[in-house]
Amino acid sequence: MFKSFHLKSGHYYLLAFFIAIGFYVGLGGYPLSNNNEGLYAEVAREMLLTGNYIIPHLNFVPYIEKPPLLYWLIALSYHVFGVTTWAARLIPASCGALTIVCLLWLGQKIGRAREAWLTAVILATSLGYIVIARIVFFDMLLTACLTVTLSLFYVWWQTDKKYYLRSAYIFLGLGVLSKGLLILVLVFAISVTFLFICRQKKRILSLFDFWGIILFLAIVLPWHVAANIQYPGFFRDYFINEQVLRFLNERIPHDYYQGPIYYYIPRILAYLLPWSLLLPLLCKRHPMKNNDTDKLALFLWLWFIVPLVFFSVSQAKANYYMIIGMPALAYLLAIKINQMNNLKSSLLWSMVSISLITLLAGYIVAKKIPDEYSELSIIQYLQAKNSGRPVYLYDNYAKQSTLLFYLQKRLPMIAADDPDLAYGAQTNEAKGWFISVEQFKSIAEKQFCYVALVKESLSKFYQVLPGLGFCPVTATKKGLLLSNDPGDCNKHG
């Protein structure tokens, strides 16, 4: 089918349509979700508000779990478009689109435009990939940086032109500013292993280009040095605790998931749905041998397998980590489809249709059940009351992280047991905003106020703060808003 296929402008318009539908349409039509999405969007908002672009802050206390590039880009988006849900999601969505464009470029440079176009269609209509691109996470930014870096490396390997290698170092540096040292480990392991298997050991030394390293350091060093100067505990908290100890399952606090060695296998299948139904084609051997195809396939398999092994061995796991391997897996699938003469085009377009219909249905559902993801009902209640009464957070803020973003103000915390704010709570910026149970009891006895908390913390709240007359006045799926105003309590039963 694709043997006789030639790229025309219409094919690029069609791909642009898929990208627009998948990554941009309705991007702000449903609220940010709790946990990481609301948290990261809020960090960028506070960065823009305070003008402190060195040390990220969450609830206006230092938050150095991740490097700043995503926050910088979202803050820039806020500056241009305003502080909105759409502006926050614009950055990861654009990174998802950039990854696809980069794969198209790679295909053009190495003379494999048909496979690259099909790869782009697969990614642009893969439901899991689209979903992650529409969430404010670091991983799609990292995916874009890794994709560009490895694509430039492969073109350098084919052409031996230094500017491709030096450009790769630039995006390698941006990758470090995206999510830390992980990209260094992956790129080094993939590129060195590839050259070693290709019996080009001498070219391994060529990887360490002087000007490339200078460009890399010029991008990476300024923020790391400035952060270390501004925040005395930066090296220990950011490098050792967040990156080394996280991998070894020794990070403090232990607020991440673990799982079995096969943890990512079902998730990989979900990333590429419905195209993952065709992944068994990767097991089918093609009778015709082509050295260029074999080398490209080797490179792509390393691109996929090295992160899979790394994340599978790591003690810290998350549903979205292996998204960085999907460009390679999609390209491998595209190569195999391109080799299949008997695979009907109707099957492929059926998968595209399934993806678009499912995406539309998911968007409709997301709009209709916002309380499944965010604290929107609580926010709307507070905005409707417009009473000016103080709002307090109790216990774990991260599970209600959309509150700060949508209320757009700092909230004091009672008996904070929040792993994301554990280090910031010990700094001078936290004074007066992290209050004890005794302090809050004294406040609540003198004035009416609201307390936001997750439902699982309600019994604990009543145990440590009895007799203050607090009652639930509105709720989301996971959260509650309490008030000690008898009028509110009588109205809501």
Side-chain angles (χ1 to χ4, degrees):
M1 161 201 159
F2 283 94
K3 293 287 185 182
S4 59
F5 176 73
H6 298 284
L7 289 180
K8 299 177 182 178
S9 59
H11 297 111
Y12 293 107
Y13 292 143
L14 183 62
L15 180 60
F17 171 76
F18 292 153
I19 290 174
I21 293 294
F23 297 96
Y24 295 106
V25 171
L27 199 57
Y30 50 97
L32 293 170
S33 60
N34 285 317
N35 293 326
N36 289 347
E37 190 177 32
L39 186 152
Y40 298 148
E42 172 62 15
V43 171
R45 186 189 74 84
E46 293 181 20
M47 187 173 278
L48 179 68
L49 186 64
T50 63
N52 185 344
Y53 293 92
I54 304 301
I55 301 296
H57 282 67
L58 178 61
N59 205 13
F60 296 88
V61 298
Y63 175 73
I64 58 169
E65 183 176 323
K66 298 290 191 297
L69 183 58
L70 180 67
Y71 304 137
W72 289 346
L73 294 173
I74 295 177
L76 176 61
S77 180
Y78 289 161
H79 178 74
V80 175
F81 301 109
V83 180
T84 64
T85 301
W86 180 87
R89 290 195 178 121
L90 177 64
I91 301 305
S94 297
C95 289
L98 173 63
T99 299
I100 291 171
V101 171
C102 178
L103 293 170
L104 275 177
W105 173 85
L106 173 62
Q108 294 283 1
K109 297 300 292 186
I110 63 177
R112 310 186 74 108
R114 292 176 300 180
E115 295 167 347
W117 184 83
L118 181 55
T119 303
V121 170
I122 291 172
L123 277 185
T125 56
S126 290
L127 296 173
Y129 183 84
I130 292 170
V131 168
I132 293 176
R134 295 172 69 98
I135 300 175
V136 185
F137 284 165
F138 285 81
D139 298 81
M140 198 52 73
L141 175 59
L142 177 64
T143 299
C145 290
L146 182 67
T147 299
V148 177
T149 300
L150 291 176
S151 297
L152 287 165
F153 163 81
Y154 193 80
V155 175
W156 165 77
W157 174 77
Q158 281 209 332
T159 64
D160 204 29
K161 294 179 179 178
K162 289 280 189 180
Y163 58 82
Y164 288 120
L165 180 60
R166 291 167 184 170
S167 298
Y169 269 103
I170 292 173
F171 283 92
L172 183 65
L174 294 175
V176 171
L177 290 181
S178 299
K179 209 174 179 183
L181 301 178
L182 169 64
I183 192 172
L184 273 177
V185 176
L186 297 180
V187 169
F188 179 81
I190 293 167
S191 58
V192 170
T193 304
F194 176 73
L195 293 175
F196 184 83
I197 294 175
C198 291
R199 299 180 181 179
Q200 297 179 341
K201 299 177 185 178
K202 292 183 179 179
R203 292 196 74 180
I204 294 176
L205 293 177
S206 302
L207 278 174
F208 301 95
D209 179 76
F210 174 78
W211 287 110
I213 293 172
I214 292 297
L215 288 169
F216 171 81
L217 293 176
I219 291 170
V220 170
L221 283 183
W223 176 74
H224 287 84
V225 171
N228 199 54
I229 292 171
Q230 277 200 22
Y231 186 71
F234 174 79
F235 183 83
R236 171 67 176 79
D237 293 341
Y238 175 75
F239 281 106
I240 305 300
N241 190 53
E242 292 294 341
Q243 302 194 46
V244 178
L245 296 183
R246 180 188 290 268
F247 179 83
L248 299 174
N249 195 30
E250 298 293 333
R251 176 183 179 265
I252 301 173
H254 191 290
D255 62 341
Y256 45 86
Y257 296 106
Q258 292 178 271
I261 196 74
Y262 56 84
Y263 179 88
Y264 289 104
I265 301 303
R267 286 157 180 82
I268 288 167
L269 298 177
Y271 295 153
L272 289 185
L273 277 174
W275 297 94
S276 51
L277 298 174
L278 297 182
L279 287 178
L281 291 176
L282 297 178
C283 301
K284 185 177 179 62
R285 296 181 62 85
H286 195 264
M288 295 193 60
K289 289 288 184 180
N290 182 299
N291 188 56
D292 289 339
T293 300
D294 291 344
K295 291 292 174 61
L296 177 59
L298 169 64
F299 180 69
L300 293 170
W301 275 117
L302 288 171
W303 182 343
F304 171 70
I305 290 173
V306 169
L308 177 60
V309 171
F310 180 89
F311 289 125
S312 296
V313 172
S314 172
Q315 296 298 309
K317 292 180 169 65
N319 290 326
Y320 42 85
Y321 281 176
M322 260 309 292
I323 199 69
I324 65 173
M326 292 309 99
L329 191 61
Y331 212 129
L332 285 165
L333 183 58
I335 291 173
K336 191 61 66 172
I337 291 173
N338 193 48
Q339 294 172 342
M340 305 296 291
N341 293 321
N342 59 345
L343 194 62
K344 294 182 178 180
S345 60
S346 58
L347 174 63
L348 302 180
W349 296 120
S350 294
M351 290 192 171
V352 170
S353 300
I354 291 169
S355 174
L356 295 178
I357 292 170
T358 307
L359 184 67
L360 176 61
Y363 170 62
I364 293 172
V365 170
K367 285 195 71 173
K368 288 184 176 298
I369 51 172
D371 286 351
E372 293 283 325
Y373 312 103
S374 74
E375 303 304 278
L376 192 60
S377 293
I378 291 176
I379 294 155
Q380 291 171 341
Y381 179 91
L382 290 170
Q383 291 172 340
K385 294 290 285 188
N386 194 26
S387 63
R389 293 174 186 170
V391 181
Y392 293 85
L393 296 170
Y394 177 73
D395 214 13
N396 193 314
Y397 152 71
K399 294 180 179 179
Q400 294 182 291
S401 65
T402 53
L403 284 172
L404 294 182
F405 179 82
Y406 286 116
L407 289 175
Q408 296 198 2
K409 63 180 180 180
R410 188 176 189 180
L411 298 179
M413 300 192 65
I414 312 162
D417 182 21
D418 193 315
D420 291 299
L421 298 171
Y423 291 102
Q426 304 169 26
T427 63
N428 289 331
E429 292 101 317
K431 290 181 178 178
W433 291 92
F434 286 70
I435 61 178
S436 67
V437 169
E438 291 74 19
Q439 289 173 317
F440 177 72
K441 184 176 181 180
S442 177
I443 293 170
E445 287 173 344
K446 299 175 183 176
Q447 67 179 92
F448 295 140
C449 56
Y450 297 107
V451 176
L453 75 169
V454 291
K455 291 178 180 178
E456 61 197 51
S457 296
L458 182 61
S459 60
K460 179 182 174 183
F461 176 85
Y462 284 142
Q463 286 174 4
V464 299
L465 287 161
L468 294 179
F470 278 95
C471 66
V473 292
T474 191
T476 62
K477 182 179 180 181
K478 295 183 178 180
L480 287 171
L481 183 70
L482 309 182
S483 172
N484 62 344
D485 182 347
D488 288 337
C489 292
N490 292 334
K491 185 182 299 184
H492 296 276

